[in-house]
PDB file of all heavy atoms in Angstrom:
ATOM      1  N   ALA A   7      26.470  55.195 -32.744  1.00  0.00           N
ATOM      2  CA  ALA A   7      26.542  56.621 -32.924  1.00  0.00           C
ATOM      3  C   ALA A   7      27.465  57.293 -31.937  1.00  0.00           C
ATOM      4  O   ALA A   7      27.550  56.842 -30.831  1.00  0.00           O
ATOM      5  CB  ALA A   7      25.152  57.193 -32.754  1.00  0.00           C
ATOM      6  N   LEU A   8      28.184  58.410 -32.366  1.00  0.00           N
ATOM      7  CA  LEU A   8      29.011  59.188 -31.417  1.00  0.00           C
ATOM      8  C   LEU A   8      28.645  60.647 -31.490  1.00  0.00           C
ATOM      9  O   LEU A   8      28.869  61.301 -32.464  1.00  0.00           O
ATOM     10  CB  LEU A   8      30.499  58.996 -31.696  1.00  0.00           C
ATOM     11  CG  LEU A   8      31.454  59.722 -30.777  1.00  0.00           C
ATOM     12  CD1 LEU A   8      31.349  59.328 -29.347  1.00  0.00           C
ATOM     13  CD2 LEU A   8      32.842  59.599 -31.229  1.00  0.00           C
ATOM     14  N   ALA A   9      28.073  61.140 -30.475  1.00  0.00           N
ATOM     15  CA  ALA A   9      27.751  62.561 -30.434  1.00  0.00           C
ATOM     16  C   ALA A   9      28.365  63.149 -29.193  1.00  0.00           C
ATOM     17  O   ALA A   9      28.504  62.468 -28.210  1.00  0.00           O
ATOM     18  CB  ALA A   9      26.246  62.762 -30.392  1.00  0.00           C
ATOM     19  N   LEU A  10      28.720  64.404 -29.246  1.00  0.00           N
ATOM     20  CA  LEU A  10      29.438  65.003 -28.134  1.00  0.00           C
ATOM     21  C   LEU A  10      28.603  66.152 -27.598  1.00  0.00           C
ATOM     22  O   LEU A  10      28.321  67.085 -28.304  1.00  0.00           O
ATOM     23  CB  LEU A  10      30.787  65.483 -28.635  1.00  0.00           C
ATOM     24  CG  LEU A  10      31.625  66.391 -27.777  1.00  0.00           C
ATOM     25  CD1 LEU A  10      31.997  65.726 -26.490  1.00  0.00           C
ATOM     26  CD2 LEU A  10      32.864  66.801 -28.510  1.00  0.00           C
ATOM     27  N   ALA A  11      28.180  66.071 -26.350  1.00  0.00           N
ATOM     28  CA  ALA A  11      27.333  67.119 -25.819  1.00  0.00           C
ATOM     29  C   ALA A  11      27.877  67.619 -24.506  1.00  0.00           C
ATOM     30  O   ALA A  11      28.322  66.854 -23.695  1.00  0.00           O
ATOM     31  CB  ALA A  11      25.916  66.600 -25.626  1.00  0.00           C
ATOM     32  N   LEU A  12      27.840  68.912 -24.316  1.00  0.00           N
ATOM     33  CA  LEU A  12      28.386  69.547 -23.138  1.00  0.00           C
ATOM     34  C   LEU A  12      27.248  70.223 -22.387  1.00  0.00           C
ATOM     35  O   LEU A  12      26.604  71.101 -22.926  1.00  0.00           O
ATOM     36  CB  LEU A  12      29.348  70.613 -23.608  1.00  0.00           C
ATOM     37  CG  LEU A  12      30.697  70.671 -22.974  1.00  0.00           C
ATOM     38  CD1 LEU A  12      31.724  70.145 -23.937  1.00  0.00           C
ATOM     39  CD2 LEU A  12      31.018  72.101 -22.695  1.00  0.00           C
ATOM     40  N   VAL A  13      27.014  69.810 -21.172  1.00  0.00           N
ATOM     41  CA  VAL A  13      25.944  70.406 -20.395  1.00  0.00           C
ATOM     42  C   VAL A  13      26.451  70.558 -18.986  1.00  0.00           C
ATOM     43  O   VAL A  13      27.156  69.688 -18.507  1.00  0.00           O
ATOM     44  CB  VAL A  13      24.687  69.519 -20.381  1.00  0.00           C
ATOM     45  CG1 VAL A  13      23.577  70.174 -19.625  1.00  0.00           C
ATOM     46  CG2 VAL A  13      24.271  69.163 -21.782  1.00  0.00           C
ATOM     47  N   PHE A  14      26.119  71.626 -18.314  1.00  0.00           N
ATOM     48  CA  PHE A  14      26.603  71.688 -16.962  1.00  0.00           C
ATOM     49  C   PHE A  14      25.724  72.540 -16.070  1.00  0.00           C
ATOM     50  O   PHE A  14      25.081  73.462 -16.505  1.00  0.00           O
ATOM     51  CB  PHE A  14      28.051  72.178 -16.913  1.00  0.00           C
ATOM     52  CG  PHE A  14      28.364  73.374 -17.708  1.00  0.00           C
ATOM     53  CD1 PHE A  14      29.018  74.438 -17.139  1.00  0.00           C
ATOM     54  CD2 PHE A  14      28.048  73.446 -19.045  1.00  0.00           C
ATOM     55  CE1 PHE A  14      29.343  75.536 -17.873  1.00  0.00           C
ATOM     56  CE2 PHE A  14      28.371  74.539 -19.778  1.00  0.00           C
ATOM     57  CZ  PHE A  14      29.024  75.600 -19.186  1.00  0.00           C
ATOM     58  N   SER A  15      25.702  72.161 -14.783  1.00  0.00           N
ATOM     59  CA  SER A  15      24.932  72.898 -13.805  1.00  0.00           C
ATOM     60  C   SER A  15      25.505  72.623 -12.437  1.00  0.00           C
ATOM     61  O   SER A  15      26.160  71.626 -12.219  1.00  0.00           O
ATOM     62  CB  SER A  15      23.454  72.483 -13.854  1.00  0.00           C
ATOM     63  OG  SER A  15      23.336  71.122 -13.522  1.00  0.00           O
ATOM     64  N   SER A  16      25.275  73.554 -11.513  1.00  0.00           N
ATOM     65  CA  SER A  16      25.758  73.377 -10.152  1.00  0.00           C
ATOM     66  C   SER A  16      24.741  73.960  -9.195  1.00  0.00           C
ATOM     67  O   SER A  16      24.414  75.136  -9.285  1.00  0.00           O
ATOM     68  CB  SER A  16      27.102  74.083  -9.965  1.00  0.00           C
ATOM     69  OG  SER A  16      27.443  74.087  -8.600  1.00  0.00           O
ATOM     70  N   PRO A  17      24.220  73.158  -8.276  1.00  0.00           N
ATOM     71  CA  PRO A  17      23.222  73.682  -7.347  1.00  0.00           C
ATOM     72  C   PRO A  17      23.840  74.525  -6.244  1.00  0.00           C
ATOM     73  O   PRO A  17      23.142  75.233  -5.546  1.00  0.00           O
ATOM     74  CB  PRO A  17      22.582  72.416  -6.784  1.00  0.00           C
ATOM     75  CG  PRO A  17      23.656  71.375  -6.883  1.00  0.00           C
ATOM     76  CD  PRO A  17      24.441  71.716  -8.126  1.00  0.00           C
ATOM     77  N   LEU A  18      25.183  74.457  -6.067  1.00  0.00           N
ATOM     78  CA  LEU A  18      25.819  75.114  -4.937  1.00  0.00           C
ATOM     79  C   LEU A  18      26.522  76.403  -5.313  1.00  0.00           C
ATOM     80  O   LEU A  18      26.899  77.172  -4.449  1.00  0.00           O
ATOM     81  CB  LEU A  18      26.824  74.147  -4.283  1.00  0.00           C
ATOM     82  CG  LEU A  18      26.218  72.831  -3.774  1.00  0.00           C
ATOM     83  CD1 LEU A  18      27.314  71.945  -3.209  1.00  0.00           C
ATOM     84  CD2 LEU A  18      25.143  73.103  -2.736  1.00  0.00           C
ATOM     85  N   ALA A  19      26.793  76.607  -6.616  1.00  0.00           N
ATOM     86  CA  ALA A  19      27.524  77.796  -7.020  1.00  0.00           C
ATOM     87  C   ALA A  19      26.931  78.327  -8.310  1.00  0.00           C
ATOM     88  O   ALA A  19      26.354  77.587  -9.100  1.00  0.00           O
ATOM     89  CB  ALA A  19      29.003  77.448  -7.223  1.00  0.00           C
ATOM     90  N   LEU A  20      27.072  79.634  -8.508  1.00  0.00           N
ATOM     91  CA  LEU A  20      26.673  80.205  -9.776  1.00  0.00           C
ATOM     92  C   LEU A  20      27.515  79.574 -10.868  1.00  0.00           C
ATOM     93  O   LEU A  20      28.712  79.377 -10.705  1.00  0.00           O
ATOM     94  CB  LEU A  20      26.851  81.719  -9.743  1.00  0.00           C
ATOM     95  CG  LEU A  20      25.946  82.465  -8.758  1.00  0.00           C
ATOM     96  CD1 LEU A  20      26.328  83.933  -8.707  1.00  0.00           C
ATOM     97  CD2 LEU A  20      24.486  82.306  -9.134  1.00  0.00           C
ATOM     98  N   ALA A  21      26.903  79.268 -12.006  1.00  0.00           N
ATOM     99  CA  ALA A  21      27.614  78.479 -13.007  1.00  0.00           C
ATOM    100  C   ALA A  21      27.461  79.083 -14.390  1.00  0.00           C
ATOM    101  O   ALA A  21      26.386  79.533 -14.780  1.00  0.00           O
ATOM    102  CB  ALA A  21      27.098  77.045 -13.001  1.00  0.00           C
ATOM    103  N   PHE A  22      28.550  79.100 -15.108  1.00  0.00           N
ATOM    104  CA  PHE A  22      28.598  79.463 -16.518  1.00  0.00           C
ATOM    105  C   PHE A  22      28.192  78.217 -17.295  1.00  0.00           C
ATOM    106  O   PHE A  22      28.843  77.187 -17.209  1.00  0.00           O
ATOM    107  CB  PHE A  22      30.031  79.895 -16.838  1.00  0.00           C
ATOM    108  CG  PHE A  22      30.260  80.347 -18.242  1.00  0.00           C
ATOM    109  CD1 PHE A  22      30.107  81.677 -18.590  1.00  0.00           C
ATOM    110  CD2 PHE A  22      30.689  79.448 -19.201  1.00  0.00           C
ATOM    111  CE1 PHE A  22      30.363  82.102 -19.879  1.00  0.00           C
ATOM    112  CE2 PHE A  22      30.938  79.856 -20.498  1.00  0.00           C
ATOM    113  CZ  PHE A  22      30.777  81.195 -20.840  1.00  0.00           C
ATOM    114  N   VAL A  23      27.090  78.276 -18.033  1.00  0.00           N
ATOM    115  CA  VAL A  23      26.478  77.073 -18.594  1.00  0.00           C
ATOM    116  C   VAL A  23      26.494  77.133 -20.118  1.00  0.00           C
ATOM    117  O   VAL A  23      26.058  78.117 -20.707  1.00  0.00           O
ATOM    118  CB  VAL A  23      25.026  76.908 -18.099  1.00  0.00           C
ATOM    119  CG1 VAL A  23      24.378  75.691 -18.718  1.00  0.00           C
ATOM    120  CG2 VAL A  23      24.998  76.838 -16.580  1.00  0.00           C
ATOM    121  N   GLU A  24      27.007  76.076 -20.734  1.00  0.00           N
ATOM    122  CA  GLU A  24      26.969  75.916 -22.184  1.00  0.00           C
ATOM    123  C   GLU A  24      26.628  74.472 -22.523  1.00  0.00           C
ATOM    124  O   GLU A  24      26.755  73.584 -21.686  1.00  0.00           O
ATOM    125  CB  GLU A  24      28.324  76.254 -22.821  1.00  0.00           C
ATOM    126  CG  GLU A  24      28.787  77.682 -22.637  1.00  0.00           C
ATOM    127  CD  GLU A  24      28.024  78.679 -23.481  1.00  0.00           C
ATOM    128  OE1 GLU A  24      27.073  78.265 -24.201  1.00  0.00           O
ATOM    129  OE2 GLU A  24      28.350  79.860 -23.420  1.00  0.00           O
ATOM    130  N   GLU A  25      26.228  74.225 -23.746  1.00  0.00           N
ATOM    131  CA  GLU A  25      26.050  72.880 -24.266  1.00  0.00           C
ATOM    132  C   GLU A  25      26.837  72.773 -25.566  1.00  0.00           C
ATOM    133  O   GLU A  25      26.740  73.644 -26.424  1.00  0.00           O
ATOM    134  CB  GLU A  25      24.574  72.571 -24.538  1.00  0.00           C
ATOM    135  CG  GLU A  25      23.721  72.539 -23.290  1.00  0.00           C
ATOM    136  CD  GLU A  25      22.294  72.118 -23.579  1.00  0.00           C
ATOM    137  OE1 GLU A  25      22.010  71.826 -24.758  1.00  0.00           O
ATOM    138  OE2 GLU A  25      21.506  72.085 -22.629  1.00  0.00           O
ATOM    139  N   VAL A  26      27.612  71.706 -25.683  1.00  0.00           N
ATOM    140  CA  VAL A  26      28.414  71.472 -26.880  1.00  0.00           C
ATOM    141  C   VAL A  26      28.107  70.074 -27.398  1.00  0.00           C
ATOM    142  O   VAL A  26      28.071  69.125 -26.623  1.00  0.00           O
ATOM    143  CB  VAL A  26      29.915  71.609 -26.579  1.00  0.00           C
ATOM    144  CG1 VAL A  26      30.748  71.314 -27.809  1.00  0.00           C
ATOM    145  CG2 VAL A  26      30.231  72.999 -26.043  1.00  0.00           C
ATOM    146  N   THR A  27      27.856  69.945 -28.682  1.00  0.00           N
ATOM    147  CA  THR A  27      27.574  68.632 -29.256  1.00  0.00           C
ATOM    148  C   THR A  27      28.479  68.376 -30.451  1.00  0.00           C
ATOM    149  O   THR A  27      28.855  69.295 -31.178  1.00  0.00           O
ATOM    150  CB  THR A  27      26.106  68.516 -29.709  1.00  0.00           C
ATOM    151  OG1 THR A  27      25.849  69.486 -30.703  1.00  0.00           O
ATOM    152  CG2 THR A  27      25.168  68.717 -28.527  1.00  0.00           C
ATOM    153  N   ALA A  28      28.846  67.114 -30.637  1.00  0.00           N
ATOM    154  CA  ALA A  28      29.579  66.687 -31.822  1.00  0.00           C
ATOM    155  C   ALA A  28      29.192  65.260 -32.129  1.00  0.00           C
ATOM    156  O   ALA A  28      28.699  64.542 -31.265  1.00  0.00           O
ATOM    157  CB  ALA A  28      31.088  66.802 -31.602  1.00  0.00           C
ATOM    158  N   VAL A  29      29.386  64.849 -33.367  1.00  0.00           N
ATOM    159  CA  VAL A  29      28.971  63.508 -33.765  1.00  0.00           C
ATOM    160  C   VAL A  29      29.995  62.910 -34.716  1.00  0.00           C
ATOM    161  O   VAL A  29      30.574  63.620 -35.542  1.00  0.00           O
ATOM    162  CB  VAL A  29      27.573  63.538 -34.436  1.00  0.00           C
ATOM    163  CG1 VAL A  29      27.572  64.359 -35.702  1.00  0.00           C
ATOM    164  CG2 VAL A  29      27.049  62.131 -34.687  1.00  0.00           C
ATOM    165  N   PHE A  30      30.233  61.619 -34.566  1.00  0.00           N
ATOM    166  CA  PHE A  30      30.970  60.877 -35.591  1.00  0.00           C
ATOM    167  C   PHE A  30      29.990  59.991 -36.328  1.00  0.00           C
ATOM    168  O   PHE A  30      29.282  59.180 -35.727  1.00  0.00           O
ATOM    169  CB  PHE A  30      32.071  60.000 -34.996  1.00  0.00           C
ATOM    170  CG  PHE A  30      32.641  59.047 -36.019  1.00  0.00           C
ATOM    171  CD1 PHE A  30      33.470  59.510 -37.023  1.00  0.00           C
ATOM    172  CD2 PHE A  30      32.304  57.704 -36.007  1.00  0.00           C
ATOM    173  CE1 PHE A  30      33.961  58.660 -37.990  1.00  0.00           C
ATOM    174  CE2 PHE A  30      32.798  56.835 -36.965  1.00  0.00           C
ATOM    175  CZ  PHE A  30      33.628  57.319 -37.965  1.00  0.00           C
ATOM    176  N   ARG A  31      29.960  60.174 -37.625  1.00  0.00           N
ATOM    177  CA  ARG A  31      29.128  59.351 -38.485  1.00  0.00           C
ATOM    178  C   ARG A  31      29.949  59.074 -39.741  1.00  0.00           C
ATOM    179  O   ARG A  31      30.380  60.010 -40.417  1.00  0.00           O
ATOM    180  CB  ARG A  31      27.849  60.083 -38.838  1.00  0.00           C
ATOM    181  CG  ARG A  31      26.855  59.300 -39.653  1.00  0.00           C
ATOM    182  CD  ARG A  31      25.603  60.132 -39.940  1.00  0.00           C
ATOM    183  NE  ARG A  31      24.865  60.459 -38.725  1.00  0.00           N
ATOM    184  CZ  ARG A  31      24.697  61.687 -38.272  1.00  0.00           C
ATOM    185  NH1 ARG A  31      25.233  62.718 -38.912  1.00  0.00           N
ATOM    186  NH2 ARG A  31      24.008  61.904 -37.168  1.00  0.00           N
ATOM    187  N   PRO A  32      30.223  57.811 -40.079  1.00  0.00           N
ATOM    188  CA  PRO A  32      31.058  57.535 -41.247  1.00  0.00           C
ATOM    189  C   PRO A  32      30.455  58.125 -42.512  1.00  0.00           C
ATOM    190  O   PRO A  32      29.233  58.076 -42.723  1.00  0.00           O
ATOM    191  CB  PRO A  32      31.124  56.009 -41.305  1.00  0.00           C
ATOM    192  CG  PRO A  32      29.983  55.529 -40.474  1.00  0.00           C
ATOM    193  CD  PRO A  32      29.759  56.565 -39.426  1.00  0.00           C
ATOM    194  N   ASP A  33      31.309  58.702 -43.337  1.00  0.00           N
ATOM    195  CA  ASP A  33      30.879  59.387 -44.546  1.00  0.00           C
ATOM    196  C   ASP A  33      31.358  58.596 -45.762  1.00  0.00           C
ATOM    197  O   ASP A  33      32.553  58.596 -46.068  1.00  0.00           O
ATOM    198  CB  ASP A  33      31.448  60.800 -44.569  1.00  0.00           C
ATOM    199  CG  ASP A  33      31.006  61.598 -45.786  1.00  0.00           C
ATOM    200  OD1 ASP A  33      30.238  61.052 -46.602  1.00  0.00           O
ATOM    201  OD2 ASP A  33      31.435  62.758 -45.924  1.00  0.00           O
ATOM    202  N   PRO A  34      30.460  57.925 -46.475  1.00  0.00           N
ATOM    203  CA  PRO A  34      30.895  57.148 -47.638  1.00  0.00           C
ATOM    204  C   PRO A  34      31.600  57.988 -48.698  1.00  0.00           C
ATOM    205  O   PRO A  34      32.441  57.475 -49.430  1.00  0.00           O
ATOM    206  CB  PRO A  34      29.586  56.559 -48.179  1.00  0.00           C
ATOM    207  CG  PRO A  34      28.651  56.556 -47.013  1.00  0.00           C
ATOM    208  CD  PRO A  34      29.018  57.773 -46.216  1.00  0.00           C
ATOM    209  N   SER A  35      31.280  59.281 -48.769  1.00  0.00           N
ATOM    210  CA  SER A  35      31.919  60.136 -49.768  1.00  0.00           C
ATOM    211  C   SER A  35      33.317  60.569 -49.348  1.00  0.00           C
ATOM    212  O   SER A  35      34.086  61.075 -50.171  1.00  0.00           O
ATOM    213  CB  SER A  35      31.057  61.377 -50.031  1.00  0.00           C
ATOM    214  OG  SER A  35      30.990  62.198 -48.866  1.00  0.00           O
ATOM    215  N   ASN A  36      33.642  60.391 -48.081  1.00  0.00           N
ATOM    216  CA  ASN A  36      34.967  60.778 -47.590  1.00  0.00           C
ATOM    217  C   ASN A  36      35.409  59.781 -46.522  1.00  0.00           C
ATOM    218  O   ASN A  36      35.502  60.105 -45.342  1.00  0.00           O
ATOM    219  CB  ASN A  36      34.913  62.198 -47.013  1.00  0.00           C
ATOM    220  CG  ASN A  36      36.290  62.733 -46.672  1.00  0.00           C
ATOM    221  OD1 ASN A  36      37.313  62.180 -47.090  1.00  0.00           O
ATOM    222  ND2 ASN A  36      36.339  63.804 -45.904  1.00  0.00           N
ATOM    223  N   PRO A  37      35.692  58.541 -46.916  1.00  0.00           N
ATOM    224  CA  PRO A  37      35.973  57.490 -45.930  1.00  0.00           C
ATOM    225  C   PRO A  37      37.254  57.702 -45.137  1.00  0.00           C
ATOM    226  O   PRO A  37      37.435  57.102 -44.092  1.00  0.00           O
ATOM    227  CB  PRO A  37      36.065  56.217 -46.791  1.00  0.00           C
ATOM    228  CG  PRO A  37      36.377  56.697 -48.168  1.00  0.00           C
ATOM    229  CD  PRO A  37      35.699  58.032 -48.296  1.00  0.00           C
ATOM    230  N   MET A  38      38.160  58.570 -45.614  1.00  0.00           N
ATOM    231  CA  MET A  38      39.407  58.807 -44.885  1.00  0.00           C
ATOM    232  C   MET A  38      39.215  59.797 -43.744  1.00  0.00           C
ATOM    233  O   MET A  38      40.121  59.998 -42.932  1.00  0.00           O
ATOM    234  CB  MET A  38      40.479  59.325 -45.840  1.00  0.00           C
ATOM    235  CG  MET A  38      40.867  58.340 -46.923  1.00  0.00           C
ATOM    236  SD  MET A  38      41.515  56.793 -46.257  1.00  0.00           S
ATOM    237  CE  MET A  38      43.055  57.391 -45.549  1.00  0.00           C
ATOM    238  N   SER A  39      38.060  60.448 -43.663  1.00  0.00           N
ATOM    239  CA  SER A  39      37.809  61.426 -42.607  1.00  0.00           C
ATOM    240  C   SER A  39      37.192  60.722 -41.403  1.00  0.00           C
ATOM    241  O   SER A  39      35.986  60.450 -41.374  1.00  0.00           O
ATOM    242  CB  SER A  39      36.875  62.531 -43.105  1.00  0.00           C
ATOM    243  OG  SER A  39      36.599  63.463 -42.078  1.00  0.00           O
ATOM    244  N   ASN A  40      38.025  60.412 -40.425  1.00  0.00           N
ATOM    245  CA  ASN A  40      37.560  59.690 -39.234  1.00  0.00           C
ATOM    246  C   ASN A  40      37.579  60.638 -38.042  1.00  0.00           C
ATOM    247  O   ASN A  40      38.323  60.455 -37.090  1.00  0.00           O
ATOM    248  CB  ASN A  40      38.447  58.473 -38.992  1.00  0.00           C
ATOM    249  CG  ASN A  40      38.444  57.530 -40.177  1.00  0.00           C
ATOM    250  OD1 ASN A  40      37.384  57.235 -40.725  1.00  0.00           O
ATOM    251  ND2 ASN A  40      39.608  57.085 -40.599  1.00  0.00           N
ATOM    252  N   LYS A  41      36.763  61.678 -38.108  1.00  0.00           N
ATOM    253  CA  LYS A  41      36.760  62.709 -37.080  1.00  0.00           C
ATOM    254  C   LYS A  41      35.330  63.002 -36.655  1.00  0.00           C
ATOM    255  O   LYS A  41      34.375  62.767 -37.389  1.00  0.00           O
ATOM    256  CB  LYS A  41      37.414  63.994 -37.603  1.00  0.00           C
ATOM    257  CG  LYS A  41      38.877  63.845 -37.978  1.00  0.00           C
ATOM    258  CD  LYS A  41      39.438  65.148 -38.509  1.00  0.00           C
ATOM    259  CE  LYS A  41      40.898  65.019 -38.878  1.00  0.00           C
ATOM    260  NZ  LYS A  41      41.445  66.289 -39.428  1.00  0.00           N
ATOM    261  N   PHE A  42      35.227  63.591 -35.471  1.00  0.00           N
ATOM    262  CA  PHE A  42      33.937  64.060 -35.010  1.00  0.00           C
ATOM    263  C   PHE A  42      33.562  65.352 -35.725  1.00  0.00           C
ATOM    264  O   PHE A  42      34.425  66.169 -36.035  1.00  0.00           O
ATOM    265  CB  PHE A  42      33.962  64.332 -33.512  1.00  0.00           C
ATOM    266  CG  PHE A  42      34.084  63.096 -32.686  1.00  0.00           C
ATOM    267  CD1 PHE A  42      35.296  62.743 -32.121  1.00  0.00           C
ATOM    268  CD2 PHE A  42      32.995  62.286 -32.472  1.00  0.00           C
ATOM    269  CE1 PHE A  42      35.421  61.602 -31.357  1.00  0.00           C
ATOM    270  CE2 PHE A  42      33.102  61.141 -31.716  1.00  0.00           C
ATOM    271  CZ  PHE A  42      34.315  60.800 -31.152  1.00  0.00           C
TER     272      PHE A  42
END
Protein backbone atom coordinates (compact mmCIF):
# COMPACT_ATOMS: atom_id res chain seq x y z
CA ALA A 1 0.00 0.00 0.00
CA LEU A 2 1.05 3.67 -0.63
CA ALA A 3 -0.56 6.39 1.36
CA LEU A 4 0.71 9.89 1.82
CA ALA A 5 0.23 11.61 5.15
CA LEU A 6 1.45 14.97 6.33
CA VAL A 7 1.72 15.61 10.04
CA PHE A 8 3.85 18.07 11.86
CA SER A 9 4.63 19.45 15.28
CA SER A 10 7.39 21.35 17.02
CA PRO A 11 7.93 21.49 20.77
CA LEU A 12 10.24 24.52 20.48
CA ALA A 13 8.31 26.85 18.18
CA LEU A 14 4.74 27.71 17.37
CA ALA A 15 3.79 25.57 14.40
CA PHE A 16 1.33 25.69 11.54
CA VAL A 17 -0.03 22.13 11.56
CA GLU A 18 -1.74 20.19 8.77
CA GLU A 19 -2.18 16.55 7.80
CA VAL A 20 -2.12 15.45 4.17
CA THR A 21 -2.82 11.92 2.96
CA ALA A 22 -2.66 10.22 -0.43
CA VAL A 23 -2.76 6.63 -1.57
CA PHE A 24 -1.74 4.58 -4.57
CA ARG A 25 -3.96 1.61 -5.17
CA PRO A 26 -4.03 -0.06 -8.62
CA ASP A 27 -7.37 0.42 -10.35
CA PRO A 28 -8.43 -2.49 -12.59
CA SER A 29 -10.89 -0.19 -14.36
CA ASN A 30 -8.12 2.27 -15.24
CA PRO A 31 -4.82 0.36 -15.35
CA MET A 32 -2.99 3.19 -17.15
CA SER A 33 -3.49 5.54 -14.18
CA ASN A 34 -0.37 5.01 -12.06
CA LYS A 35 -0.75 7.98 -9.72
CA PHE A 36 -1.39 8.68 -6.09
